[in-house]
């Protein structure tokens, strides 16, 4: 499984955009990039996923570098409920293997 | 969205006893279910992958005789922690996928196991 590198923590202010980076330099051509987030004492929640093109949904946007070795999860207008640990996962071998993730703190 | 339900949400058991955790996909058929374990302030660690009607595939270092996984139907998988010890105390989480992993995975709310 391709390894991911994310900052341990990030901080942002409420109602501002947040850009969460992820490096995955060993990604294979057919591997999908997934993002999940986890609130305290809960199971992870799906955020978004993509292969090559940028993706948008109601929760976030996913910007994928042209060489696919990095990606950025964009929360357009952070709220306090977006405070969570965000995991960038490269799906391989039909399973999701979690890295350490980024703990996002949102300041009111 | 699809719902995955785990039961119980929390359980306390005595050392040496066995505990069974259920994972159900409520509104879809899950071809594959996954079991994870998470210690405080750590990430999720994949324990095993189970497919309906076949034996689970365990990750390296996970004892298959201690963590028994049964996936008897397309909507139910169970994890039994046998002869539990305090070091097995953890947050256990299951997830399920509808078809293949190029779509989203759905996670249960987790089960907090405390062994005393």
């Amino acid at each position: 499984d391709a390894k991911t590198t994310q900052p341990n923590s990030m901080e942002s202010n409420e109602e501002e955009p947040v850009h969460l980076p992820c490096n995955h330099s060993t990604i294979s051509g057919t591997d999908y990039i997934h993002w999940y987030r986890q609130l305290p004492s809960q199971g992870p929640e799906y955020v978004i996923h993509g292969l090559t093109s940028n993706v948008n949904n109601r929760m976030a946007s996913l910007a994928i570098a042209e060489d696919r070795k990095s990606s950025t999860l964009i929360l357009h207008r952070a709220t306090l409920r977006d405070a969570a640990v965000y995991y960038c996962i490269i799906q391989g071998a039909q399973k999701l293997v979690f890295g350490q993730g980024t703990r996002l703190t949102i300041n009111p | 969205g699809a719902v995955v339900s785990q039961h119980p949400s929390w359980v306390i058991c005595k050392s040496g006893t066995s505990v069974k955790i259920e994972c159900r996909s409520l509104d879809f058929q899950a071809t594959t279910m996954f079991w994870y374990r998470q210690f405080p302030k750590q990430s999720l660690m994949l324990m095993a992958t189970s497919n309906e009607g076949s034996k689970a595939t365990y990750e390296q270092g996970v004892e298959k005789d201690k963590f028994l996984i049964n996936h008897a139907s397309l909507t139910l998988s169970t994890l039994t922690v046998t002869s539990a010890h305090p070091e097995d105390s953890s947050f256990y989480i299951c997830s399920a996928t509808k078809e293949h992993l190029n779509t989203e995975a759905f996670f249960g709310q987790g089960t907090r196991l405390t062994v005393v």
Side-chain angles (χ1 to χ4, degrees), chain B residues 23-98:
Chain B
C23 177
R24 293 182 185 273
S25 55
L26 298 185
D27 51 1
F28 67 99
Q29 292 187 326
T31 54
T32 307
M33 287 186 169
F34 304 87
W35 287 96
Y36 295 83
R37 180 167 57 174
Q38 185 175 34
F39 293 108
K41 300 207 183 296
Q42 294 187 24
S43 183
L44 285 76
M45 185 197 80
L46 179 65
M47 299 175 69
T49 303
S50 78
N51 293 291
E52 184 262 341
S54 60
K55 287 185 179 179
T57 301
Y58 290 82
E59 295 296 302
Q60 194 171 7
V62 178
E63 299 174 59
K64 61 180 182 181
D65 294 329
K66 180 167 183 62
F67 299 100
L68 302 178
I69 292 172
N70 184 279
H71 193 159
S73 76
L74 284 172
T75 59
L76 174 64
S77 177
T78 61
L79 167 68
T80 301
V81 182
T82 62
S83 186
H85 290 285
E87 57 265 31
D88 298 323
S89 298
S90 189
F91 193 50
Y92 292 86
I93 306 167
C94 72
S95 75
T97 57
K98 290 182 179 179

Side-chain angles (χ1 to χ4, degrees), chain B residues 3-18:
Chain B
V3 177
V4 172
S5 177
Q6 269 184 252
H7 179 80
S9 298
W10 59 270
V11 58
I12 302 172
C13 72
K14 290 186 176 180
S15 190
T17 61
S18 295

Side-chain angles (χ1 to χ4, degrees), chain A residues 18-105:
Chain A
V18 181
H19 291 232
L20 296 164
C22 180
N23 287 321
H24 31 78
S25 59
T26 59
I27 191 171
S28 298
T30 55
D31 289 344
Y32 276 72
I33 302 160
H34 289 246
W35 284 82
Y36 287 79
R37 70 181 186 182
Q38 186 180 27
L39 278 65
S41 298
Q42 294 187 27
E45 173 189 29
Y46 169 81
V47 178
I48 201 166
H49 79 289
L51 182 62
T52 55
S53 303
N54 294 343
V55 185
N56 299 296
N57 65 22
R58 62 174 181 81
M59 287 182 71
S61 295
L62 176 60
I64 301 173
E66 202 168 322
D67 63 6
R68 301 207 329 124
K69 294 185 177 182
S70 66
S71 61
T72 302
L73 178 70
I74 303 166
L75 306 179
H76 294 286
R77 202 157 166 257
T79 69
L80 295 178
R81 288 178 295 179
D82 292 321
V85 178
Y86 286 79
Y87 295 99
C88 165
I89 303 167
I90 304 305
Q91 169 257 316
Q94 294 299 302
K95 57 187 180 182
L96 292 175
V97 177
F98 285 72
Q100 291 306 306
T102 296
R103 182 173 299 278
L104 176 64
T105 301

